[in-house]
Amino acid sequence: MAYIHLDGVSKQYGSVWAVDRVNMAIEKHEFVSLLGPSGSGKTTLLRIIAGLERPTTGRVLIDGEDVTELPPHKRGVAMVFQEFLLFPHRTVYENLAFPLRMLKLPKGEIEARVEWVVGILALRGLEKRYPNQLSGGQQQRVALGRGLVGRPKVLLLDEPLANLDRELRQEMEVEIRKHQTDLGIPFIYVTHNQEEALSMSDRIAVVRGGRIEDFASRTDIYDRPKTAFIAQFVGRSNRFTGTAATAGGTISLSGDGVRIETATRPGIADGERVAAYVKNEKVRLRPASAGGAGAANTLAATVRYVILRGAYAEYVLGWSGGELVASRPRSEAEFTEGAEVVACWDAADVDLFPAPEDGR
């Protein structure tokens, strides 16, 4: 059996199912992210694992034990929140020692555990400082340390980096992943930030409407989306709609003024209304003078805006069907605003799904 097992877990508030029949199996050494938009149910799911919410139906098992009815402090879990929640009038040492004193551990054990956390989180020399004397990253390390000092079976993290600036957030992503690997315990991380989920996770559970759209490796979630929602939510994609025509092992999508071809996909019927997604970085550009516009998976466009994003340039293109975005390395030939170009992509880079009923 998996180290953590959610068996048909649901949570109902009035007439709303915040979590709806979730089944998940998480192994002991995994870093798992619950990724989804606000209100999708991911934090409720985390709180159910923590014991802060009781499921309406289903069971939670940790290390082979049914903990559904156990309170948080008897589950062997710890939780790190978005707010640091440090005691402002206590030093770093006192903040770290506090949960151990609540457990009435011997003084020597408390000192040993705090020393261990101070060492692994690079907090040495800061033990006598107060939270207002620390940087944001240092405060986050203390908050993380307070979760780890009890040596939990599982660490749960609820958007702990949301209040940090981008550079510091990226540094902490590396640190958190390193600590999870070194400790060898499962981390379950809630976020709406796909970059965080993709940078740290072994597997990602995409949550929507209280349900799991897919639970797979980060590469599968990004490169092989299972649903139209995932294709649209994870990564930045261009979307085309039209009617499918199936023949000879390929599907041709005619609509939006462009012809898209890709391999046949299960569940796509001839004449069906479909949506095709092509990630921004899969769109290549060449000068219009090179020709080729009008072939499958190509279109003629004009560069409207150029947005620099470090080593990449993001080209916002205007074409007869609206706008298209191409993200290209700046080491390639650069195009200026107003340039006439041909945008193209490979058939293998098209993710095709039945068009959502809501039209999005």
Side-chain angles (χ1 to χ4, degrees):
M1 180 179 290
Y3 193 72
I4 302 170
H5 185 209
L6 305 184
D7 180 18
V9 169
S10 299
K11 181 64 179 180
Q12 185 178 22
Y13 297 104
S15 61
V16 176
W17 289 94
V19 174
D20 189 5
R21 292 165 290 177
V22 167
N23 294 288
M24 292 181 71
I26 299 171
E27 301 301 332
K28 185 173 183 179
H29 301 292
E30 280 195 296
F31 192 119
V32 168
S33 287
L34 305 179
L35 174 66
S38 297
S40 60
K42 55 190 186 296
T43 294
T44 302
L45 190 57
L46 195 76
R47 289 173 62 85
I48 289 172
I49 298 171
L52 300 173
E53 298 281 355
R54 188 181 184 281
T56 305
T57 64
R59 301 183 303 157
V60 178
L61 295 93
I62 298 177
D63 196 14
E65 179 184 5
D66 188 338
V67 300
T68 311
E69 302 297 331
L70 292 182
H73 67 279
K74 292 187 177 180
R75 295 191 178 203
V77 303
M79 195 159 177
V80 179
F81 297 91
Q82 179 175 333
E83 302 296 334
F84 300 143
L85 300 178
L86 302 179
F87 298 116
H89 59 289
R90 297 179 185 269
T91 64
V92 167
Y93 183 94
E94 292 166 341
N95 268 281
L96 293 172
F98 179 81
L100 302 178
R101 289 182 177 140
M102 293 297 98
L103 294 174
K104 302 187 185 304
L105 295 184
K107 181 179 179 182
E109 178 72 7
I110 292 174
E111 290 176 349
R113 291 199 187 190
V114 171
E115 175 67 17
W116 169 69
V117 165
V118 164
I120 66 171
L121 294 180
L123 293 170
R124 203 171 306 285
L126 304 177
E127 296 94 328
K128 295 183 180 180
R129 293 192 188 183
Y130 291 88
N132 64 0
Q133 297 173 315
L134 303 176
S135 68
Q138 290 167 341
Q139 290 184 53
Q140 184 58 73
R141 287 190 189 94
V142 177
L144 183 60
R146 200 163 59 179
L148 293 175
V149 75
R151 297 182 180 173
K153 294 179 179 179
V154 184
L155 188 66
L156 310 175
L157 303 102
D158 189 6
E159 304 204 59
L161 307 184
N163 293 329
L164 302 181
D165 61 54
R166 182 178 181 180
E167 183 177 357
L168 186 54
R169 188 168 65 243
Q170 290 175 341
E171 290 178 7
M172 287 301 301
E173 288 170 10
V174 175
E175 286 195 26
I176 289 174
R177 176 64 202 202
K178 176 184 180 298
H179 298 316
Q180 187 273 331
T181 301
D182 291 344
L183 293 167
I185 64 172
F187 280 26
I188 305 178
Y189 191 100
V190 160
T191 183
H192 64 272
N193 186 320
Q194 56 182 275
E195 291 181 0
E196 288 180 4
L198 290 167
S199 68
M200 292 188 285
S201 308
D202 294 308
R203 288 193 292 166
I204 297 173
V206 180
V207 187
R208 182 192 186 200
R211 296 186 177 183
I212 304 297
E213 288 268 314
D214 195 14
F215 185 29
S217 71
R218 57 184 175 180
T219 52
D220 281 349
I221 291 292
Y222 191 84
D223 294 327
R224 292 170 285 278
K226 186 177 179 181
T227 67
F229 173 78
I230 297 174
Q232 189 167 276
F233 183 71
V234 180
R236 305 180 69 190
S237 297
N238 299 285
R239 181 177 181 272
F240 306 92
T241 58
T243 302
T246 61
T250 64
I251 293 179
S252 295
L253 170 66
S254 299
D256 282 348
V258 62
R259 180 164 59 91
I260 295 174
E261 286 189 357
T262 188
T264 54
R265 304 292 170 87
I268 302 294
D270 190 61
E272 184 175 4
R273 186 75 174 166
V274 294
Y277 300 86
V278 181
K279 285 192 165 55
N280 296 1
E281 69 270 19
K282 299 297 185 181
V283 179
R284 303 187 302 276
L285 300 178
R286 58 176 182 255
S289 58
N297 300 330
T298 67
L299 55 84
T302 303
V303 177
R304 289 182 176 173
Y305 311 105
V306 180
I307 303 169
L308 298 184
R309 299 191 184 278
Y312 282 78
E314 195 168 88
Y315 296 95
V316 181
L317 312 173
W319 65 292
S320 60
E323 280 192 346
L324 179 81
V325 179
S327 182
R328 305 305 306 163
R330 292 181 63 194
S331 57
E332 296 183 356
E334 295 191 27
F335 297 92
T336 58
E337 293 178 0
E340 300 296 323
V341 298
V342 172
C344 59
W345 52 89
D346 294 333
D349 295 328
V350 179
D351 294 310
L352 197 66
F353 302 96
E357 294 181 2
D358 60 9
R360 292 185 293 177

